[in-house]
Amino acid sequence: MARTHNLGFPRIGAQRELKFALESYWKGQSTRDELKAEGARLRRRHWQDQAGLDLVPVGDFAFYDQVLDMSFTLGNLPERVQGFHGDALDNYFRVARGRSAEEHAQCCGGVAAGEMTKWFDTNYHYIVPEFTAATEFRLDASRLLEQLDEARAQGVKAKPVIVGPVTYLALGKAKDDSDRLALLPRLLPVYAELLETLAAQGVEWVQIDEPLLVTELDADWQHAFNTAYHHLKSSRVKLLLATYFGQLAENQYLAANLPVAGLHIDAINGRDDIVPLLNLLPSHKVLSLGVINGRNIWKTDLDAVLDWLEPLAERLDDRLWIAPSCSLLHVPVDLASEHTLDAGITSWLAFALQKLDELKLLATALNQGRAAVAAELAANRAAVDARRSSPRVHNPAVQAALAAVTSALGRRHSPYPVRAARQAALLKLPPYPTTTIGSFPQTAEIRQARSRYKAGELDEAGYKAAMRAEIARSVREQEALGLDVLVHGEAERNDMVEYFGEQLDGYAFSQFGWVQSYGSRCVKPPILFGDISRPRPMTVDWITYAQSLTGKPMKGMLTGPVTLLNWSFVRDDQPRSASCTQLALAIREEVLDLEKAGMRVIQIDEAALREGLPLRRSQWKDYLDWAVESFRITANGVADETQIHTHMCYSEFNDIIASIAGMDADVITIETSRSDMELLDAFDDFKYPNEIGPGVYDIHSPNIPATAHIVQLMRKAAERIPAQRLWVNPDCGLKTRQWSEVIPALTNMVAAARTLRAST
Ligand code: GLN
Ligand code: ZN
C-alpha cells in the first residue's frame, strides 16, 4: 500500500489572509492575540484542506519564515536581539523586519533586520541564520509543541517538519568568518533533544529537510551529513529525510546510507535518481517519491506517472510513499478562486489543493487499481490531451521563427569600440553621463487611476491622459535636474513582468495566484502557457510621447527575456531555453520598433538573470549560454549607432562576469552602492570591456545621498574602470520612493557628476 503525505502547505492563505493580518498587526491596527488567532484559523483550514492524506505536515506554518522559526527553535537569536524583554513574537518580527533607529531612539534604539536571501532556486526568501564562533544553541520547542497539540486536538495525522542541521548551518552566515561547520557538535545535541521531545509526545515520523543534498558538496559537508545523522540515529522518532528541488546525483550513495527511516526525493527534477536509489537504499527504508510538481501550476499527466510508478509500487509495497516534489509553499492555493482565467486554460492547471487531489487519485489507483478511479483518470487525460494539442499553445509561425534562429541574429554589426565611437558622435554626452534606471515614483494618483481604469470607472482615454501627464511630469523634473539620458518613468507599468506578459500572446494571468516571496510579500507570477508572440508594439507610443517632450535622448525601457522567464510560471512541455528564445524574438521586435521610432538608447532589464542559475555549478554554463544568447537575440539586431543598456539589480558578478560581458550591451548599470564599489573589481578592463554605471546610492533607503559621498564612490570606481567608460546612476528604479526623496537625491547625484567632470 502506497501512503500519501505532504511536505508543506502555503501559509499565506487563499485570499492572502495572513498577509493582511500581519500588516494590520505591524501597523498597530490589531492585537497580537488577533494575529495569533488568524494564524490558528489558517492552520486549521489548511489541515482540513489536507485531510485524507496519511500524514500531514505540522510546523510548516510560520508567521514570517520557516528558517527564522528554526533559528528560534534552536535558540539561535542574533546577539542584537538577545535579552529583549518584550513578547517573543515581537522579538521574532524585530529580527525579520528590523526597527528603524529614528523611530525607536527612545526605546530599543532600533535594530537591524536579519539578512534575507533566496531559498535555493526558488523566489522565496528566508532570513539568514547568523553565527559566530561563540554561538550556543538552546532548545525552545514551544512553537512546534503548541502546533502539534493544536493539530492533534483537530485529529490531524501530524508529521512535524523541521529544517535539518546540515542544511541549517549551510544556509547561515558566520558573521566573524569562522567555520560554520565547527558549530555542528554544539548543534546536534539540541536537535537530539528536539527529537526526544517530539518522541515524548508520541510522534512517530518527523520530516527533516535537507535540500542541501541536491547541491554539490565538499568533502567536509558530506562528512557533516554522516556525523549529524549518526548522532541522531538513536532517536525514538522515525526520520524522513527530505530532499527536493533537484537531483541527488553524486550524493545518492550518501543520502541512501544515512541512518534514517526514510528518504524523500524530488521525482520531478530527480527522476534519474530513482533507479540507482532502488539498488542503493537499504531494504528497511521508506522511499518517498515527490511525483507531483510542487514548483509549477500544470495538471499532472496521471497516466504517465502511473505508467512508471506502478512497477515501483509493486516492488516497494509498504515502503513507497508519494507526495508533491517539495513543499507547496511555491504554488498558489486554490484554482477554484479563479473566475477570470478562461475555462480552457483553467482546465490545464492545478494549484495546491488540486495537486493534493491528484496525489490522492494516484494513491487510489496504485492501491486499488486504475479502474477504481477510471472516471477521474479519463477527465485528467482529456485535459492533458487538450493542452497538448491546443492551437492556443502551438503557433506554427513562432515555431518557424524559432527554427530559423542562427547565431547571426545575436551579433551586432561592429565590435564595441566601433559602436562606442559612433554612439558618442551621435549622443554627444558629457563625461560621467547621468541617467536613472527607469521608474519614477508610483504616486497615489497613478495607482488610483490604474484601479479606477481596471474597475471600469475611468475610460481608456482618461487613463492614457493620466499616464501621459505623469510621463510629462517625469520629463520636466529630469530636465530641471539636468540629467543627460532621460526615462519616461514607467507610470503605465504595474510590474515589469506583468506589463509585458499582458501584451504578449501565450501568457495568462490569474486573479489569486499569489505565492509568498518573503514575510507578508507575495508575487503573482504570470502563466506562460503557449508559444509567445507580440501582436503589436507594447511601449512605442509611450516612449515616443516622452521623447517628443525633450531634446535629450530618451531611453526605451524593456524587460528582457530571461527576467520574463524567471519570474513566470513556465511551460513544462518544452525546455526553458525554448520559451526564453521565443520571448527573445518577441522583445527583439519591440527593440527594432523603438529604434525605428527614433530611440537612440534602449535599455533591456535583466534583473533576474542571476536568479535563474541552477543549483549545481556544473549546470551553470548551459544556463548562461542560452540565457545570454536570448539577451543577444533581443538586443543585438540594432544599428551600431543605437546604444543598448542593460540593468541588473544585484552585485555579485565575479563568477559570471564572462557571460555578462558576452551579452555585449554597450552599457550595464548595476547595484553597487552598498558594496562600496569593491565589486567593480570583477569588471576590470580585461573581463569587462564596455561601459558601466555602478549604482551610487541605495534606492531602498529614504536617505538622501551626499554629493561628496557620491563623488568619493565614483573616484573609487574610476580607480578600477577608466573614467570615460563610467556612468552615474542610482542602484535601481525609483518607483518605491517619493518625489520628495527623489529630487534631492538626484540633485546631489547630478552635482557629483559635475564635480567629477570639472576635475577630469
Ligand atoms: N526599469 C526598472 C525600474 O526602474 C528596473 C527594475 C529592476 O531592475 N528591478 O523599475
Ligand atoms: Zn534593479
Side-chain angles (χ1 to χ4, degrees), residues 437 607 647-649 731-733:
I437 305 304
H647 165 71
M648 297 182 185
C649 24
D731 265 353
C732 193

